[in-house]
C-alpha cells in the first residue's frame, strides 16, 4: 500500500503555500485519496477472519493486520505527508476534520494489532507444541504453561484483555486440543494395537482433556489472586462442553479395553488349567473378540456430540454382550466352589449365587429388550440366544443342588439326633489321681446347625423343606440355648477341676464321683432328641455349684495355712547384735549368745503359728466329713499332704537361714571381734581358733535343733504325737528334727560354713606370723644374757647398740596397724602390741641398770687407784 503524493514543488514555507489556491486544491485532492485508501484498508482488515480453527491462525491474522497498519502508519509519518497536513490545516481547518478522524481510527487499530501480535507471539511456542508436539503427554505439560502465558497477556495487554477477545481464543485452544486427541485416539488403528498400548493412549488423551479444564480453573483463581480487577468469568459451556464429552468417550473406550483385558486374563487362563480341549479355548477367544468387533467398524465419529445417540447405542450393546459373557464365565469358573454371602450355608448359598447371576442377566436383558433396535439386530439375537443357554444351565444347577441336599438331609438328620450330649477324651474308669486328664466336650454335631440354616434359607428361596428339617429349624433357639448352657457348664467343670490340686482331688473324691455319675448320663444316655436335656443341664449345674462352693471354702482355709507356712519359712533365725559405739563389736561368746537368745524368741512365735494349723484342718474336716476330730479317715491323705508341706517349709527355713549365715560370714562386714595376745606359749588368738570353731558349730546345731519344737502328727491325723517313754527314765518326743537334720542341703550348708570359718581363722593366724620376729623379747632368758654381759664387761658401744635395738622395737610396734578386718571378724592387735612394747622397754631398763652398775664399779676402781697414787 502506497500513498499518492502531489507532483508540485512544496519547498516554500507552510504559511506561504497555504495562501496559494492552486496548491491547496491539489493537496485537497491528494488528501481525499489518502482518506479513501485508509478507510478501505480499515474496512477490509475488519472483515478479515483467521484462516483456520486453531489458535495459530489467530496469531497469523494479527500479524497480517499489524503489517498492513504499520505500512500506512509509517507513510503518514513521512515529512512530506506531515507538511501537506500542516498546509491543509492552516488553509482549510474544517476540511481536515474527516481526514483526522480516519487517521485516528488507523492509529487505534494499529495499536491494537501491534499489541495483540506482540503478546500473542509469546504463546506461539506453546501453541505449536499443542498442535504438532510429539506425544499427548507433551500437551499435558504444555497446557499449564500456555494458560499461565494467557494470564500474563490478560493482565499486561492493553487490547487483548476483554471477554470478546479472550473467549474466542480459548475456544480455538479447546478446538486444537480436541483435534489432537482425535488424531491420537483413532479407532481405525486403536483396536489393532496391543491392549496395554491402547489403554495408555486413551489414558493420556483423557488426562490431557481433564488437564485443560483443571488448568483453566487454576488460572481463574490466579487471575483473581493477582489483584487484577478483570476476572475470568467466561462461559464454561462454550469452552468445555465438547471436551467434557470427549472425556466421557475416552472413559468408555478405556472401559472397553479394560473389560476385554479382564476377559482374556481372567477366564482364558482359568479354562486352560481345567481343560485339555484347545477348541474350547479358541472358541472363548473368538467370543471375546466378537464383543469388541463393532467398535472397529464405526461409520461415525464417536467424539462428535451430534452422534452421541449412535455412540450410546453401541455402548449399550457392548455392555449387554459383556454382561452375558462375563456371567457365563463366572458361572463356569465357580461352579464347583461358588462364592457365598456371609452366613449363607453351602447349598442354599450356591443356589442364591446362581440366582443372583440369573437376576443380573435378567435385568440386563430387560433393558436390552426396551431398545427394539438392539433386539432386532443380528448381534442382539446372538446375545439373546446366549442368555437363554446360560439361564438354562443355571436352572439345572439349582435343581441338582437342591435334590442332593434334600436326599442327604432326610438320611442324616435322624442319625445325628441319636448322638449323646457329651464325649470324653479318656476312660471314666481311670484312677482318681488322673481325673484332671479326663475332659468332657460338647458333642453337638455341626451338621445339625448347617441343616437348620440350610432349611431356613431354602424356605426363603421358595423351595420345599423336609418336615423334620423344618421342625429342627423351628427349634433352633432351643438347641442354641442348650449348647450355650452346656458349654458354660463344661467350662465351669473344667475350670473347677483345673484349680484343684491332687490332694484336694483325693479329699473331695466322694463329691467328684457324684458329679461324674451325673455327667456319665450325658455321655451314655441323653441324646439330642431326648426331652430331659434341660433337666440334665440343671442337675449338672447345681452339682458343680455345690462343689465350687466347697472348693472355694477349702481354698480360703488353704490360703490361711499357706500364709502361716510362708511366715515360718521367711523367719530370720540369725539376728546379729549391733556394734557398740560404731566401731566396737561384741566378742565371740557375746555374739553367739545373742544369736541363740534371739533364736529362742523367734521359736516361740514359730511354734504358735505351727500349733494353729491343726485347727484350720479340723475346719476343713467339718466342711467335708461333718466331723471335727482331727483324725477323720476321709482326710488322712489331706493331713499327710500338709504334713509334707510343713516338712518342706522347715527344711527351707533351715537351709535359707544357714545360707544367710554363710553369706554374713564371707561378707567383708565385721560382726564380732577377737584379740591377739602374748601368752606363755607365744602369740595366740583370744578366744583361740578351736573355741571359735566350736561356737560356730554350736550355732549351726542350735539352728537345726529349732525343728525339735515342731512335733509330728500321729499317723492319719493332724493331732500332735504325745511324748513316748522309751526307757524308765527316757522320754522321746517325735519332731521334724530327725528328718530335717538329714537333709543333704542342710548338711552341705553346715560343712560349707565350717570350712569358711576354718579358712578365715587360718588366714588370721597367718597375719600374726609377722610378729614372730619379736620372739627374742620373751623367748631369751634375760638373766642369763645379763650375767654373760656382766662377766664379759663389753665396751659401752655394745651397750649402746643393744639399747638402740630394743628402743627401735618399742617405737616400731607403735606404728603397726592395730585392727585387721577380714570377713565377719575384726582382729584387735592392741593387746599384743602393748605386750611387745612392754617387753622391749623391760630389756632397755635391764640393760641400763647393768651398764650403770658396771660403770659405777669402774668409776670406784679408778677412784681407788687415784687415791693410792
Amino acid at each position: 500500500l502506497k500513498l499518492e503524493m502531489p507532483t508540485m514543488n512544496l519547498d516554500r514555507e507552510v504559511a506561504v503555500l497555504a495562501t496559494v489556491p492552486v496548491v491547496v486544491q491539489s493537496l485537497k485532492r491528494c488528501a481525499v485519496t489518502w482518506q479513501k485508501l485508509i478507510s478501505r484498508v480499515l474496512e477490509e482488515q475488519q472483515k478479515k477472519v483467521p484462516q483456520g480453527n486453531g489458535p495459530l491462525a489467530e496469531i497469523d491474522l494479527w500479524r497480517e493486520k499489524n503489517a498492513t497498519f504499520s505500512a500506512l502508519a509509517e507513510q503518514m509519518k513521512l515529512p512530506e505527508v506531515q507538511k501537506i497536513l500542516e498546509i491543509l490545516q492552516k488553509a482549510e481547518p474544517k476540511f481536515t476534520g474527516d481526514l483526522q478522524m480516519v487517521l485516528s481510527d488507523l492509529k487505534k487499530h494499529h495499536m491494537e494489532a501491534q499489541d495483540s501480535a506482540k503478546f500473542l507471539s509469546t504463546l506461539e511456542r506453546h501453541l505449536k507444541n499443542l498442535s504438532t508436539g510429539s506425544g499427548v503427554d507433551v500437551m499435558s505439560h504444555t497446557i499449564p504453561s500456555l494458560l499461565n502465558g494467557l494470564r500474563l497477556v490478560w493482565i499486561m495487554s492493553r487490547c487483548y484483555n476483554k471477554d470478546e477477545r479472550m473467549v474466542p481464543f480459548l475456544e480455538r485452544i479447546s478446538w486444537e486440543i480436541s483435534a489432537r486427541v482425535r488424531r491420537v485416539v483413532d479407532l481405525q488403528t486403536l483396536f489393532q494395537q496391543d491392549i496395554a498400548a491402547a489403554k495408555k493412549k486413551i489414558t493420556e488423551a483423557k488426562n490431557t482433556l481433564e488437564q485443560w479444564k483443571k488448568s483453566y480453573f487454576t488460572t481463574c483463581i490466579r487471575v483473581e489472586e493477582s489483584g487484577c480487577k478483570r476476572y475470568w468469568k467466561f462461559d464454561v459451556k462454550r469452552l468445555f462442553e465438547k471436551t467434557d464429552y470427549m472425556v466421557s468417550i475416552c472413559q468408555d473406550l478405556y472401559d472397553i479395553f479394560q473389560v476385554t483385558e479382564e476377559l482374556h486374563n481372567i477366564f482364558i487362563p482359568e479354562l486352560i488349567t481345567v481343560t485339555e480341549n484347545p477348541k474350547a479355548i479358541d472358541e472363548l477367544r473368538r467370543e471375546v473378540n466378537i464383543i469388541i468387533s463393532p467398535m472397529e467398524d464405526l461409520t461415525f465419529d464417536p467424539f462428535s456430540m451430534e452422534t452421541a445417540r449412535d455412540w450410546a447405542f453401541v455402548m449399550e450393546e457392548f455392555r449387554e454382550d459383556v454382561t452375558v459373557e462375563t456371567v457365563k464365565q463366572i458361572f463356569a469358573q465357580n461352579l464347583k466352589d461358588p462364592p457365598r454371602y456371609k452366613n449363607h450355608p453351602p447349598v442354599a448359598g450356591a443356589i442364591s449365587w446362581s440366582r443372583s447371576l440369573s437376576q443380573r442377566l435378567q435385568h440386563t436383558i430387560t433393558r436390552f429388550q426396551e431398545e427394539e433396535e438392539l433386539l432386532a439386530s443380528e448381534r442382539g439375537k446372538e446375545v439373546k440366544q446366549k442368555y437363554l443357554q446360560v439361564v438354562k444351565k443355571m436352572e439345572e444347577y439349582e435343581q441338582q443342588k437342591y435334590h442332593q441336599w434334600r436326599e442327604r438331609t432326610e438320611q442324616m438328620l435322624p442319625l445325628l439326633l441319636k448322638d449323646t450330649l457329651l464325649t470324653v477324651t479318656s476312660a471314666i474308669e481311670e484312677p482318681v489321681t488322673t481325673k484332671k486328664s479326663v475332659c468332657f466336650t460338647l458333642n453337638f454335631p455341626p451338621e445339625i446347625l448347617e441343616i437348620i440354616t440350610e432349611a431356613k434359607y431354602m424356605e426363603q428361596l421358595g423351595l420345599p423343606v423336609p418336615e423334620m428339617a423344618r421342625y429342627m429349624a423351628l427349634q433352633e433357639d432351643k438347641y442354641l440355648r442348650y449348647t450355650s448352657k452346656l458349654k458354660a457348664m463344661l467350662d465351669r467343670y473344667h475350670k473347677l477341676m483345673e484349680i484343684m490340686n491332687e490332694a484336694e482331688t483325693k479329699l473331695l473324691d466322694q463329691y467328684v464321683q457324684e458329679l461324674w455319675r451325673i455327667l456319665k448320663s450325658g455321655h451314655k444316655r441323653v441324646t439330642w432328641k431326648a426331652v430331659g436335656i434341660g433337666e440334665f443341664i440343671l442337675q449338672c449345674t447345681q452339682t458343680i455349684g455345690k462343689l465350687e462352693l466347697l472348693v472355694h471354702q477349702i481354698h480360703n482355709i488353704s490360703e490361711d495355712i499357706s500364709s502361716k507356712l510362708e511366715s515360718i519359712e521367711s523367719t530370720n533365725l540369725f539376728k546379729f547384735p549391733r556394734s557398740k559405739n560404731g566401731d566396737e563389736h561384741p566378742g565371740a561368746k557375746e555374739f553367739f549368745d545373742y544369736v541363740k537368745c534371739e533364736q529362742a524368741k523367734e521359736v516361740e512365735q514359730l511354734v504358735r503359728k505351727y500349733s494353729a494349723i491343726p485347727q484350720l484342718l479340723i475346719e476343713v474336716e467339718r466342711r467335708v466329713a461333718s466331723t471335727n476330730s482331727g483324725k477323720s479317715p476321709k482326710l488322712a491323705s489331706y493331713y499327710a499332704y500338709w504334713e509334707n508341706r510343713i516338712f518342706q517349709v522347715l527344711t527351707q527355713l533351715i537351709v535359707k537361714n544357714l545360707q544367710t549365715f554363710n553369706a554374713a560370714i564371707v561378707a567383708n562386714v565385721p560382726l564380732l571381734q577377737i584379740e591377739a595376745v602374748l601368752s606363755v606359749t607365744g602369740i595366740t588368738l583370744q578366744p583361740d581358733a578351736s573355741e571359735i570353731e566350736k561356737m560356730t558349730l554350736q550355732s549351726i546345731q542350735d539352728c537345726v535343733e529349732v525343728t525339735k519344737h515342731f512335733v509330728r502328727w500321729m499317723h492319719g491325723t493332724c493331732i500332735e504325737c504325745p511324748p513316748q517313754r522309751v526307757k524308765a527314765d527316757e522320754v522321746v518326743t517325735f519332731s521334724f528334727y530327725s528328718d530335717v537334720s538329714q537333709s543333704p542341703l542342710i548338711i552341705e550348708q553346715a560343712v560349707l560354713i565350717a570350712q569358711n570359718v576354718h579358712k578365715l581363722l587360718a588366714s588370721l593366724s597367718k597375719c600374726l606370723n609377722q610378729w614372730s620376729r619379736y620372739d627374742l623379747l620373751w623367748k631369751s632368758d634375760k638373766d642369763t644374757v645379763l650375767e654373760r654381759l656382766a662377766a664379759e664387761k663389753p665396751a659401752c658401744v655394745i651397750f649402746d647398740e643393744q639399747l638402740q635395738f630394743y628402743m627401735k622395737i618399742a617405737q616400731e610396734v607403735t606404728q603397726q596397724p592395730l585392727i585387721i578386718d577380714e570377713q565377719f571378724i575384726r582382729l584387735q592387735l592392741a593387746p599384743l602390741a602393748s605386750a611387745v612394747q612392754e617387753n622391749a622397754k623391760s630389756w632397755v631398763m635391764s640393760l641400763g641398770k647393768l651398764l650403770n652398775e658396771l660403770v659405777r664399779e669402774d668409776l670406784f676402781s679408778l677412784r681407788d687407784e687415784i687415791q693410792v697414787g
Side-chain angles (χ1 to χ4, degrees):
L1 294 173
K2 189 172 182 181
L3 296 177
E4 182 182 340
M5 302 298 292
T7 56
M8 63 183 62
N9 187 1
L10 299 175
D11 291 339
R12 288 180 290 177
E13 295 295 330
V14 172
V16 175
L17 292 174
T19 60
V20 180
V22 176
V23 173
V24 173
Q25 287 299 320
S26 177
L27 294 180
K28 285 174 68 176
R29 286 193 299 270
C30 188
V32 170
T33 304
W34 293 352
Q35 181 178 342
K36 289 179 179 180
L37 176 63
I38 294 171
S39 296
R40 179 175 58 81
V41 170
L42 287 174
E43 185 178 355
E44 289 175 353
Q45 293 299 321
Q46 288 296 102
K47 290 179 180 180
K48 282 189 176 183
V49 294
Q51 299 301 303
N53 295 321
L56 288 173
E58 177 86 1
I59 296 177
D60 292 341
L61 176 63
W62 283 111
R63 283 176 175 168
E64 182 183 343
K65 285 184 178 183
N66 183 41
T68 301
F69 293 148
S70 293
L72 291 174
E74 290 299 321
Q75 292 181 67
M76 292 304 299
K77 293 178 183 179
L78 292 173
E80 303 95 287
V81 175
Q82 290 296 315
K83 189 171 185 179
I84 291 171
L85 293 176
E86 289 179 11
I87 294 170
L88 291 175
Q89 179 67 28
K90 192 159 186 73
E92 293 187 24
K94 292 182 179 180
F95 174 78
T96 59
D98 292 339
L99 179 59
Q100 291 296 333
M101 289 178 62
V102 171
L103 292 176
S104 178
D105 285 346
L106 174 62
K107 182 179 180 181
K108 181 183 72 172
H109 286 91
H110 181 216
M111 288 178 60
E112 181 183 26
Q114 190 179 40
D115 183 84
S116 299
K118 181 181 72 173
F119 281 103
L120 292 180
S121 294
T122 62
L123 308 174
E124 188 172 17
R125 178 173 59 86
H126 301 308
L127 293 173
K128 286 182 177 179
N129 279 338
L130 206 62
S131 176
T132 60
S134 59
V136 183
D137 55 332
V138 174
M139 296 170 62
S140 297
H141 292 96
T142 300
I143 290 170
S145 300
L146 173 60
L147 282 169
N148 186 56
L150 277 174
R151 179 181 66 86
L152 296 175
V153 170
W154 178 263
I155 294 172
M156 300 172 66
S157 174
R158 291 174 296 175
C159 302
Y160 220 86
N161 58 359
K162 300 177 180 63
D163 291 11
E164 58 268 21
R165 292 291 185 205
M166 187 60 73
V167 171
F169 193 74
L170 288 170
E171 285 185 285
R172 288 178 175 276
I173 294 174
S174 182
W175 180 90
E176 189 68 61
I177 294 173
S178 302
R180 185 65 186 278
V181 167
R182 276 187 170 90
R183 292 196 299 272
V184 172
V185 186
D186 179 15
L187 268 62
Q188 297 298 323
T189 59
L190 195 66
F191 283 93
Q192 305 300 322
Q193 298 179 9
D194 175 71
I195 291 179
K199 284 171 61 179
K200 182 180 179 183
K201 277 190 175 182
I202 295 169
T203 301
E204 289 176 349
K206 179 171 174 282
N207 290 342
T208 298
L209 294 169
E210 291 173 340
Q211 178 73 38
W212 159 236
K213 188 172 184 179
K214 179 182 176 182
S215 296
Y216 168 78
F217 285 110
T218 302
T219 306
C220 290
I221 295 172
R222 294 186 65 188
V223 168
E224 294 182 14
E225 292 175 347
S226 66
C228 179
K229 296 182 179 179
R230 298 182 306 278
Y231 298 159
W232 279 18
K233 300 293 184 182
F234 308 144
D235 186 350
V236 176
K237 184 177 181 181
R238 283 180 63 183
L239 299 179
F240 302 110
E241 182 179 21
K242 292 181 180 179
T243 55
D244 285 348
Y245 178 73
M246 292 182 72
V247 168
S248 67
I249 299 301
C250 286
Q251 185 61 55
D252 287 342
L253 290 172
Y254 184 88
D255 292 343
I256 290 170
F257 280 102
Q258 182 66 27
V259 169
T260 304
E261 185 178 42
E262 289 174 358
L263 289 173
H264 278 94
N265 293 344
I266 297 176
F267 300 127
I268 291 178
E270 290 291 337
L271 187 59
I272 291 173
T273 59
V274 298
T275 183
E276 297 179 355
N277 184 5
K279 291 183 179 180
I281 300 173
D282 293 340
E283 177 64 21
L284 183 55
R285 286 198 178 102
R286 188 185 68 81
E287 290 184 6
V288 172
N289 292 331
I290 287 174
I291 293 174
I292 61 173
S293 60
M295 307 294 171
E296 303 177 21
D297 304 320
L298 293 180
T299 58
F300 60 89
D301 180 9
F303 289 113
S304 174
M305 294 181 67
E306 286 75 15
T307 61
R309 189 175 183 280
D310 295 333
W311 177 253
F313 181 89
V314 170
M315 285 303 298
E316 184 66 23
E317 187 177 67
F318 172 77
R319 291 189 183 99
E320 309 304 339
D321 205 352
V322 166
T323 301
V324 174
E325 185 63 31
T326 303
V327 170
K328 175 184 175 183
Q329 299 306 328
I330 290 175
F331 180 73
Q333 181 185 5
N334 298 283
L335 199 62
K336 294 182 179 179
D337 185 20
R340 288 178 284 156
Y341 294 110
K342 188 178 181 181
N343 300 326
H344 272 54
V347 180
I351 295 174
S352 296
W353 166 75
S354 177
R355 287 193 179 183
S356 68
L357 292 179
S358 180
Q359 290 169 1
R360 179 177 171 184
L361 283 178
Q362 181 64 39
H363 175 70
T364 302
I365 293 300
T366 300
R367 289 191 295 108
F368 197 68
Q369 290 173 339
E370 292 174 356
E371 298 286 345
E372 295 183 2
E373 297 178 19
L374 285 174
L375 197 60
S377 65
E378 288 298 322
R379 188 65 187 146
K381 292 177 182 178
E382 290 180 13
V383 173
K384 182 179 178 181
Q385 185 61 32
K386 188 184 294 184
Y387 159 74
L388 293 175
Q389 292 174 357
V390 174
V391 169
K392 184 179 178 181
K393 288 183 180 179
M394 290 179 176
E395 290 174 351
E396 292 173 354
Y397 174 76
E398 291 178 20
Q399 289 297 320
Q400 181 186 8
K401 283 284 184 182
Y402 167 72
H403 288 300
Q404 288 176 349
W405 171 78
R406 184 182 181 98
E407 182 179 348
R408 187 170 62 253
T409 298
E410 290 174 343
Q411 292 177 354
M412 287 180 57
L413 190 55
L415 299 175
L416 294 172
L417 292 174
K418 291 181 180 180
D419 286 349
T420 56
L421 304 184
L422 306 176
T423 58
V424 291
T425 57
S426 58
I428 297 176
E429 291 75 15
E430 286 193 9
V432 176
T433 54
T434 60
K435 276 190 173 61
K436 279 192 177 184
S437 63
V438 180
C439 177
F440 284 94
T441 55
L442 181 65
N443 189 35
F444 185 69
E447 296 85 356
I448 293 179
L449 280 180
E450 185 177 300
I451 289 173
I452 291 174
T453 309
E454 292 278 14
K456 289 165 62 179
Y457 279 97
M458 289 294 183
E459 287 195 333
Q460 291 179 13
L461 293 170
L463 297 172
V465 177
E467 194 60 35
M468 185 176 288
R470 179 181 289 106
Y471 171 78
M472 291 298 296
L474 294 173
Q475 300 294 318
E476 180 184 14
D477 290 342
K478 183 177 74 173
Y479 279 101
L480 289 176
R481 287 197 302 273
Y482 284 161
T483 55
S484 177
K485 289 181 179 180
L486 284 168
K487 285 179 181 177
M489 179 268 291
L490 291 175
D491 287 344
R492 286 179 65 187
Y493 163 75
H494 291 128
K495 184 177 180 181
L496 178 61
M497 295 303 295
E498 190 65 30
I499 63 174
M500 293 168 57
N501 58 34
E502 184 178 336
E504 291 166 346
T505 304
K506 291 180 180 180
L507 172 66
L508 301 173
D509 181 58
Q510 176 184 347
Y511 297 89
V512 174
Q513 288 293 343
E514 173 63 18
L515 177 57
W516 271 64
R517 184 188 65 78
I518 298 171
L519 290 173
K520 281 167 61 177
S521 63
H523 168 58
K524 293 186 175 181
R525 181 173 55 82
V526 184
T527 65
W528 288 105
K529 65 179 181 179
V531 295
I533 297 177
E535 182 181 349
F536 167 77
I537 296 173
L538 178 62
Q539 189 177 9
C540 290
T541 303
Q542 290 176 345
T543 306
I544 291 172
K546 292 178 181 177
L547 183 56
E548 278 179 336
L549 178 60
L550 186 56
V551 170
H552 180 69
Q553 293 171 342
I554 293 172
H555 279 181
N556 286 339
I557 297 172
S558 297
E559 288 174 4
D560 288 345
I561 298 174
S562 296
S563 176
K564 295 182 184 302
L565 293 180
E566 288 173 5
S567 177
I568 291 173
E569 185 178 335
S570 61
T571 300
N572 182 10
L573 297 177
F574 284 95
K575 292 184 178 179
F576 307 132
R578 295 182 180 179
S579 60
K580 302 173 183 178
N581 300 325
D583 290 333
E584 188 176 352
H585 296 276
K589 187 174 186 312
E590 182 183 356
F591 173 81
F592 286 107
D593 287 347
Y594 179 88
V595 170
K596 185 172 184 179
C597 180
E598 291 298 316
Q599 278 182 2
K601 295 177 183 178
E602 291 295 337
V603 167
E604 293 180 7
Q605 299 294 328
L606 295 178
V607 172
R608 190 177 299 113
K609 294 172 185 176
Y610 171 71
S611 300
I613 293 176
Q615 292 302 316
L616 293 172
L617 292 176
I618 290 173
E619 179 62 22
V620 174
E621 177 189 342
R622 186 181 67 79
R623 296 181 183 277
V624 174
S626 300
T627 60
N628 57 0
S629 61
K631 53 183 179 180
S632 171
K634 294 181 180 180
L635 274 77
S637 62
Y638 199 61
Y639 299 145
Y641 165 77
W642 282 109
E643 192 170 21
N644 183 56
R645 282 282 306 276
I646 293 168
F647 166 71
Q648 294 172 356
V649 165
L650 292 176
T651 302
Q652 283 300 309
L653 169 68
I654 304 305
V655 170
K656 288 180 179 179
N657 274 278
L658 291 179
Q659 289 173 341
T660 301
F661 185 38
N662 183 56
I665 287 172
V666 298
N668 291 318
V669 178
L671 299 175
L672 58 88
Q673 67 181 27
I674 60 176
E675 296 178 347
V677 297
L678 184 60
S679 64
V680 177
T681 58
I683 300 173
T684 60
L685 297 175
Q686 187 178 10
D688 61 24
S690 62
E691 290 180 7
I692 295 174
E693 289 186 28
K694 182 178 179 182
M695 285 187 281
T696 303
L697 293 175
Q698 183 60 49
S699 185
I700 296 171
Q701 184 64 25
D702 291 343
C703 176
V704 177
E705 288 183 355
V706 165
T707 56
K708 288 184 176 181
H709 297 85
F710 294 85
V711 181
R712 296 291 294 269
W713 297 339
M714 289 188 289
H715 181 67
T717 74
C718 62
I719 302 172
E720 292 186 1
C721 183
Q724 302 295 313
R725 187 175 295 279
V726 181
K727 297 179 181 178
D729 57 345
E730 185 179 354
V731 177
V732 176
T733 300
F734 292 101
S735 67
F736 284 93
Y737 171 75
S738 57
D739 293 319
V740 172
S741 61
Q742 300 301 316
S743 169
L745 292 175
I746 292 175
I747 295 172
E748 179 184 350
Q749 282 299 316
V751 171
L752 183 60
I753 292 170
Q755 289 175 346
N756 287 335
V757 171
H758 180 77
K759 291 178 183 177
L760 171 59
L761 293 172
S763 176
L764 291 174
S765 297
K766 190 174 181 180
C767 292
L768 298 179
N769 290 341
Q770 62 178 330
W771 293 81
S772 60
R773 65 178 181 270
Y774 305 126
D775 283 354
L776 290 174
L777 293 177
W778 54 84
K779 287 187 177 180
S780 299
D781 188 348
K782 188 187 300 181
D783 294 337
T784 304
V785 172
L786 292 175
E787 287 178 1
R788 180 173 55 80
L789 286 173
E792 292 176 359
K793 294 181 180 181
C796 289
V797 174
I798 300 300
F799 276 99
D800 184 59
E801 290 176 357
Q802 291 291 323
L803 288 171
Q804 289 293 335
F805 171 73
Y806 290 113
M807 288 176 67
K808 183 179 179 182
I809 290 176
Q811 181 63 30
E812 186 179 285
V813 168
T814 61
Q815 297 174 356
Q816 295 290 334
L818 302 181
I819 294 177
I820 295 177
D821 287 339
E822 190 164 349
Q823 295 185 2
F824 83 120
I825 293 179
R826 168 166 290 179
L827 177 59
Q828 292 284 359
L829 295 172
L832 176 59
S834 177
V836 171
Q837 193 174 37
E838 290 298 324
N839 273 277
K841 289 180 179 180
S842 175
W843 275 97
V844 170
M845 294 298 294
S846 298
L847 286 171
K849 183 179 179 181
L850 176 60
L851 177 59
N852 183 49
E853 290 176 354
L854 292 176
V855 170
R856 286 184 65 189
E857 184 179 337
D858 290 343
L859 180 62
F860 290 148
S861 298
L862 180 59
R863 185 189 64 184
D864 291 341
E865 290 178 3
I866 291 172
Q867 289 177 356
V868 172

